[in-house]
DNA sequence: AGGGTATTTGACACGACGTCAAGAATGTGT
DNA sequence: ACACATTCTTGACGTCGTGTCAAATACCCT
């Protein structure tokens, strides 16, 4: 066996950085190869295809991101936890300059189920999986809050409400790029869920 | 002058149908040309570029969609109007088989601000414009409801809350394809905004 | 009828994805 | 120590998509 001349994880990191900044369709394997100091053909040999490379890079990101979220949601009052959740969400897709947006949301729209290529069903599942896990995390947080008397509604219903808001924030970020607006919506949503509504 | 051999609007309709089903990046001008019975070069001559063609087709869609929305939001109690709004939203991106999703959300992620090409700022503006107009429409609906005593909160704040939810629904539609879930979230959001929260 | 003008048409350049065969470098068995 | 098998690397190739250009074409107008 001939050994690899590059580090598998390094390539994954370089690749995801590009995918995040320029989108999957907007990033060519030549770009990644140049940036990683690897020949394009080696990428095909090691990962199989552009989509497979993206998926591996994305799974890495998703696992890391979940850990960060989990840590941030583990302390403080329920309000503080929800606040931290939204803050992390917004900070995540306002990172970089220009802001890189939400890779999950963007990926879903770029690679999700398409007519013809039945291939990207696997991609859809990867994105859906991260969203599901985040939903579960938020729901657990709400449940814990309910047990401590900080919340008196249905954790499942509330989580099912919070998640689409965060997905919507990702869309609005890209449409308007107005971080203050995002934070306003986030804080308003927390108020609504916790019971200090628009009334 | 030599007259056009095809109908400008026909091409726009055919093009948007393809863009909607397969995404902008996933639709080639050859596809559109074949489907419209036009030579590819003629499209470049008439519209300039793929993105310009998409933008014209999208503006047509946006104008039509706004009219439909406006009509649907014009009658009934506030609750009925909001319900009609969400229903139309969901029905819109559950249309077709497989469901075509939300062209605005997908377009934003496919064509929004990207590193390098400063060109698609125009596209971003088109998407943002539709979202803004829908926001204004919802806000007006809430204001009218407030005057009639059906709502006692801030129309601006409530609209700013409802819109990201609809954007989030577009994302979840693509991630899970579960229409029942979307409708559940919608009805829950109405309850929250109108004051029957999770409490 | 004829000239000007815009449209059509096909060829071309370029870049991207993906495949393939041939070359190169290492571990392994004798 | 040497040869072999196995994997990685490298460059060439095919295909498809975007966009440009010049030549051919068909119509309107005078």
């Amino acid at each position: 066996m001939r050994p690899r001349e590059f580090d598998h994880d390094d390539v994954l990191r370089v690749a995801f950085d590009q995918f995040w900044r320029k989108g999957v369709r907007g990033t060519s394997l030549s770009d990644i190869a140049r940036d990683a100091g690897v020949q394009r053909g080696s990428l095909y040999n090691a990962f199989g295809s552009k989509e497979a490379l993206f998926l591996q890079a994305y799974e890495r990101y998703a696992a890391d991101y979940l850990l960060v979220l989990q840590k941030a949601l583990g302390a403080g009052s329920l309000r503080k936890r929800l606040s931290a959740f939204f803050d992390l969400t917004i900070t995540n897709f306002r990172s970089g300059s220009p802001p890189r947006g939400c890779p999950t949301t963007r990926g879903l729209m770029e690679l999700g189920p398409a007519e013809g290529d039945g291939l990207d069903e696997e991609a859809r599942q990867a994105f859906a999986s991260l969203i599901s896990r985040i939903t579960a995390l938020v729901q657990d947080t709400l449940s814990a809050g309910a047990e401590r008397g900080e919340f008196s509604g249905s954790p499942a219903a509330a989580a099912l409400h919070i998640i689409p808001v965060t997905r919507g924030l990702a869309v609005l970020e890209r449409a308007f790029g107005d971080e203050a607006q995002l934070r306003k919506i986030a804080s308003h949503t927390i108020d609504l869920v916790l019971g200090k509504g628009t009334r």
Side-chain angles (χ1 to χ4, degrees), chain A:
Chain A
M1 300 230 306
R2 176 173 176 176
R4 282 247 162 83
E5 292 183 0
F6 59 89
D7 185 81
H8 200 266
D9 281 18
D10 279 354
V11 170
L12 248 43
R13 266 185 289 273
V14 168
F16 193 72
D17 177 64
Q18 302 242 356
F19 284 139
W20 198 353
R21 281 189 291 119
K22 306 185 293 185
V24 178
R25 298 301 246 292
T27 302
S28 75
L29 285 198
S30 310
D31 291 343
I32 295 171
R34 186 175 352 93
D35 229 59
V38 175
Q39 208 75 15
R40 202 170 57 90
S42 296
L43 295 180
Y44 280 100
N45 176 57
F47 300 98
S49 73
K50 184 178 174 179
E51 184 168 323
L53 168 57
F54 170 76
L55 278 181
Q56 281 196 40
Y58 178 77
E59 306 257 9
R60 178 173 214 69
Y61 155 83
D64 287 358
Y65 186 62
L66 260 180
L67 282 185
V68 174
L69 260 190
Q70 213 155 8
K71 188 177 269 180
L73 291 204
S77 66
L78 176 57
R79 178 171 222 102
K80 264 209 151 57
R81 289 178 199 219
L82 290 182
S83 190
F85 169 68
F86 275 106
D87 182 56
L88 227 107
T89 302
I90 294 175
T91 298
N92 186 46
F93 45 70
R94 289 295 292 174
S95 69
S97 59
R100 289 171 293 185
C102 171
T104 300
T105 304
R106 187 169 185 180
L108 262 172
M109 296 296 156
E110 273 187 311
L111 298 183
E115 183 143 315
D117 329 327
L119 267 301
D120 24 35
E121 165 64 16
E122 200 179 350
R124 206 218 85 235
Q125 222 166 3
F127 300 125
S129 162
L130 179 57
I131 296 179
S132 292
R133 291 197 209 184
I134 294 178
T135 307
L137 213 62
V138 170
Q139 186 173 332
D140 289 351
T141 302
L142 287 162
S143 293
E147 279 178 18
R148 272 191 245 111
E150 300 178 272
F151 176 64
S152 57
S154 150
L160 206 61
H161 180 75
I162 288 176
I163 294 305
V165 171
T166 63
R167 295 302 101 201
L169 292 182
V171 178
L172 295 191
E173 190 280 326
R174 216 161 150 74
F176 301 105
D178 181 351
E179 182 167 344
Q181 188 195 37
L182 303 187
R183 300 205 172 270
K184 195 169 160 188
I185 294 170
S187 109
H188 187 230
T189 299
I190 295 179
D191 287 345
L192 260 189
V193 168
L194 257 41
K196 308 185 175 171
T198 31
R199 285 181 288 172

